[in-house]
Amino acid sequence: MTNPAIDVRSLRKSFGNQHVLDGVDLAVEAGSIFALLGPNGAGKTTLINILATLTAADSGTAIVAGHDVAEDPDGVREAVSLTGQYAAVDEVLTGEENLRMLARLSGFSAEQARARATELLTRFDLTDAAARRAKSYSGGMRRRLDIALGLVADPPVLFLDEPTTGLDARSRQALWRTIRELASAGTTILLTTQYLDEADALADRIAVLDGGRIVAEGSAAQLKARIGGELVEVRSADGVLLREIPTDGSLDSLRRVLADVAADPASVAVHVVVRKPSLDDVFLTITGAAPQSTIDAEQEVAA
Amino acid sequence: MSTATMTMTTAPRVRRPTRLVTTGVMIGRSLRHTVRNVDAMIMAIMLPTMLMLLFTFVFGGAIDGGRGGYVDYVVPGIILLCAGFGAASTAVDVADDMSNGIIDRFRTMPLRAMSVLTGHVVASLARNLLATGVVIGVALLLGFRPNADVLDWLGAIGVIAVFILAITWLYAAIGLAARSVEAANGYGFALLFLPYLSSAFVPTDTMPSWLQWIAENQPITPIIETIRGLLMGTDAGTRPLWAMGWCLVIIAAAYLWGSWLFARRARRN
């Protein structure tokens, strides 16, 4: 990556004595989709807010679209748009007025603003609701308007903070499609999500943020490979999951795990299932939010 | 979201909007908010009418001893009282904006996000000049007989406009200082008592001496006396200077306080 669209080095941010970001390094290739994955409180929103010039970092550098967020915030603002976690729409205005307002504020003439609003309303299936106040919109419509507002200026870099939270399955699929289309048209997209399937389905690269640090980074396939080849699930006779033991996929390690399970006198009447790891497993293992048994098991296998 | 409409046909290069355009857009936004807030519009028209009727027919008789003429005295006070009420909703509007994600959207755009406040202030000016017009209209129907010429009228409206700007900026800053929309509503209420402790409704020399000192030296009294002087030809003395001085000091202080609060909330520490 010779010239990344987003380049973050040793970024730190504390609120009081709480280190929200504790030395984050990140590089996002232009035109790619990059997912920041992490549990609540991992620092995802803080990182996005720093990159979008809303919050100042304590130390470290962040270059977005060639502009330093601290030195040239207006340069960054001309190149990015942020769609935050909570719909940032003007509820008193209609959908169309919202879009036209944003277009005017992005330097469009009144005429261009009208054309742009019409185009985005069509694109986001909001034409029928164009003349209605945003207050009367359903959650999904509001989110679509919110995303459309972020696209008014067609910025080269797009930040989406948990974009599909609160969307139904159909809207979520539609938004995924839009995000892919934008990326294939050259827009760089940095999104945060708590949904692993979302990161899996969309992102070219995924970074797992936990406790203010990037604890893993790579493509979905690379991250899954980190946990090993196959997972051994140990279930009780009535199907309750007792343990999940990662293996490296080799016959040797599988044999060792099975021997371990067989050696435990408590596991006389268990079912054993071998399956591929999901991103969920990666996430839970890496962030340490997994049930204790999984982590113990991993250490056992490693030992 | 169909693929067919994917191509960005109408998006030209992003440009920084001029400050004039930004301010104009924000004013348009706030005016739309004002006109669509039916409760606020009804209040802006009903309150002046009710207060004029109340002070003329209920209190007026007792105050002027049934001789009439209180309507001529009380008009400037009612104008200021209504403007105070009308401007108070600016605190709520600003607090509402700050608690909504829309302000973050403006902040991540290459524009001066504080123009949001300018929009609210100008909308408040328009709303309260309308309320002032209602007060004067009702007052004329009730027998208000000012002896002002065109210049006096223009001067009086100018003083009222400057007062509205001052109190609105103060309410805008209060809206920024408040942690919630409800708090903004509550804090603003205290200011509304100031007109009662002034020469708005009764001459200050009818008050106990300690209160007289407060009433004479607070900003409302010189503003009231300046308007009264312009409309009724009473002698305002040096009060016009005090009135303008107070208003400019309040505007400057509220603007600086507001800018500081706005920047501080932007940093989110």
Side-chain angles (χ1 to χ4, degrees):
Chain A
M1 210 183 307
T2 47
N3 200 7
I6 301 169
D7 194 1
V8 175
R9 305 257 166 100
S10 318
L11 210 61
R12 281 170 208 280
K13 175 73 181 176
S14 303
F15 293 105
N17 53 14
Q18 196 198 347
H19 303 296
V20 180
L21 295 179
D22 197 12
V24 169
D25 293 276
L26 203 70
V28 179
E29 197 177 341
S32 71
I33 304 177
F34 193 104
L36 273 175
L37 193 60
N40 275 326
K44 302 187 300 284
T45 297
T46 303
L47 179 53
I48 285 237
N49 283 348
I50 290 173
L51 296 178
T53 74
L54 278 180
T55 306
D58 295 336
S59 67
T61 57
I63 312 286
V64 177
H67 305 275
D68 188 308
V69 293
E71 312 274 314
D72 183 16
D74 268 345
V76 174
R77 288 174 188 146
E78 282 184 3
V80 307
S81 104
L82 167 69
T83 297
Q85 264 177 51
Y86 306 101
V89 304
D90 188 323
E91 298 200 329
V92 179
L93 302 185
T94 68
E96 192 193 357
E97 285 167 344
N98 265 289
L99 287 161
R100 276 165 59 181
M101 172 174 75
L102 257 285
R104 292 289 279 139
L105 292 177
S106 302
F108 290 44
S109 72
E111 204 176 314
Q112 288 169 327
R114 194 169 301 122
R116 186 74 180 142
T118 308
E119 182 190 359
L120 285 164
L121 286 165
T122 312
R123 182 154 171 222
F124 284 87
D125 284 335
L126 289 168
T127 307
D128 292 341
R132 268 169 49 200
R133 293 190 202 177
K135 200 186 193 94
S136 71
Y137 281 20
S138 69
M141 289 164 75
R142 198 176 298 212
R143 197 67 192 157
R144 279 180 354 241
L145 177 60
D146 198 26
I147 306 272
L149 289 169
L151 298 180
V152 163
D154 198 12
V157 177
L158 200 57
F159 299 117
L160 302 171
D161 197 2
E162 304 203 357
T164 60
T165 302
L167 285 189
D168 59 37
R170 191 179 148 268
S171 306
R172 196 161 171 229
Q173 292 289 339
L175 184 54
W176 283 6
R177 209 159 49 234
T178 304
I179 291 172
R180 286 196 198 100
E181 286 167 7
L182 286 165
S184 63
T187 305
T188 308
I189 295 155
L190 175 62
L191 60 89
T192 73
T193 181
Q194 292 192 50
Y195 303 121
L196 299 134
D197 60 327
E198 186 158 288
D200 207 351
L202 281 180
D204 300 306
R205 285 182 82 75
I206 300 166
V208 181
L209 194 62
D210 188 38
R213 295 174 149 275
I214 304 256
V215 292
E217 202 206 312
S219 66
Q222 285 168 341
L223 289 180
K224 284 178 194 167
R226 263 183 71 140
I227 203 167
E230 259 79 31
L231 276 169
V232 175
E233 278 182 12
V234 181
R235 290 180 179 273
S236 68
D238 48 356
V240 178
L241 183 65
L242 298 173
R243 296 171 71 179
E244 265 186 329
I245 310 168
T247 76
D248 60 12
S250 70
L251 186 59
D252 209 31
S253 100
L254 196 58
R255 194 179 283 142
R256 208 164 43 206
V257 168
L258 291 175
D260 265 3
V261 173
D264 185 349
S267 54
V268 200
V270 295
H271 292 284
V272 173
V273 182
V274 179
R275 66 167 175 88
K276 286 228 171 289
S278 68
L279 209 46
D280 254 301
D281 302 314
V282 182
F283 181 71
L284 293 177
T285 309
I286 293 170
T287 62
Q292 201 54 41
S293 61
T294 314
I295 294 166
D296 290 347
E298 192 190 23
Q299 282 159 353
E300 266 170 46
V301 171
Chain B
M1 293 183 217
S2 60
T3 325
T5 51
M6 174 58 217
T7 33
M8 293 282 186
T9 48
T10 57
R13 279 292 307 141
V14 182
R15 274 165 291 127
R16 223 174 273 208
T18 64
R19 188 172 279 208
L20 195 68
V21 167
T22 305
T23 309
V25 170
M26 293 301 181
I27 291 171
R29 166 177 184 259
S30 294
L31 284 175
R32 282 198 170 98
H33 278 233
T34 290
V35 173
R36 286 174 195 180
N37 186 342
V38 177
D39 294 344
M41 282 313 281
I42 289 175
M43 274 295 274
I45 293 164
M46 286 297 290
L47 188 74
T49 312
M50 300 306 289
L51 285 176
M52 270 316 299
L53 295 173
L54 184 71
F55 275 91
T56 309
F57 292 123
V58 180
F59 303 142
I63 293 169
D64 65 22
R67 291 187 308 276
Y70 183 62
V71 66
D72 287 334
Y73 182 83
V74 83
V75 166
I78 306 279
I79 290 174
L80 260 55
L81 196 61
C82 291
F85 269 110
S89 65
T90 303
V92 176
D93 293 340
V94 169
D96 198 36
D97 268 355
M98 297 305 286
S99 64
N100 185 305
I102 193 109
I103 196 77
D104 286 344
R105 196 183 280 295
F106 294 146
R107 279 210 181 102
T108 55
M109 298 177 73
L111 52 86
R112 195 168 154 274
M114 252 190 81
S115 355
V116 171
L117 300 189
T118 314
H120 286 310
V121 170
V122 173
S124 165
L125 181 64
R127 195 172 58 232
N128 290 305
L129 283 175
L130 173 73
T132 302
V134 174
V135 173
I136 292 170
V138 173
L140 288 172
L141 290 176
L142 296 180
F144 174 48
R145 292 294 171 262
N147 47 21
D149 59 26
V150 176
L151 276 181
D152 292 336
W153 272 108
L154 287 177
I157 290 166
V159 172
I160 293 164
V162 172
F163 169 76
I164 294 171
L165 285 177
I167 194 158
T168 303
W169 268 112
L170 196 54
Y171 276 119
I174 288 171
L176 287 170
R179 283 280 151 217
S180 70
V181 175
E182 292 74 19
N185 206 1
Y187 295 151
F189 209 72
L191 275 179
L192 296 176
F193 282 92
L194 277 183
Y196 295 103
L197 304 179
S198 77
S199 65
F201 303 110
V202 291
T204 53
D205 55 20
T206 61
M207 299 176 185
S209 57
W210 59 273
L211 193 56
Q212 229 177 83
W213 188 87
I214 296 174
E216 278 295 327
N217 290 290
Q218 64 123 323
I220 299 289
T221 297
I223 299 168
I224 293 274
E225 291 306 324
T226 303
I227 299 169
R228 195 169 276 149
L230 286 163
L231 294 183
M232 304 308 299
T234 53
D235 178 23
T238 57
R239 276 158 166 165
L241 290 176
W242 281 100
M244 284 301 103
W246 270 114
C247 285
L248 294 179
V249 165
I250 292 170
I251 290 175
Y255 185 82
L256 289 176
W257 185 34
S259 305
W260 179 75
L261 286 168
F262 195 85
R264 200 181 60 142
R265 288 195 67 163
R267 284 200 308 272
R268 294 149 188 252
N269 288 327

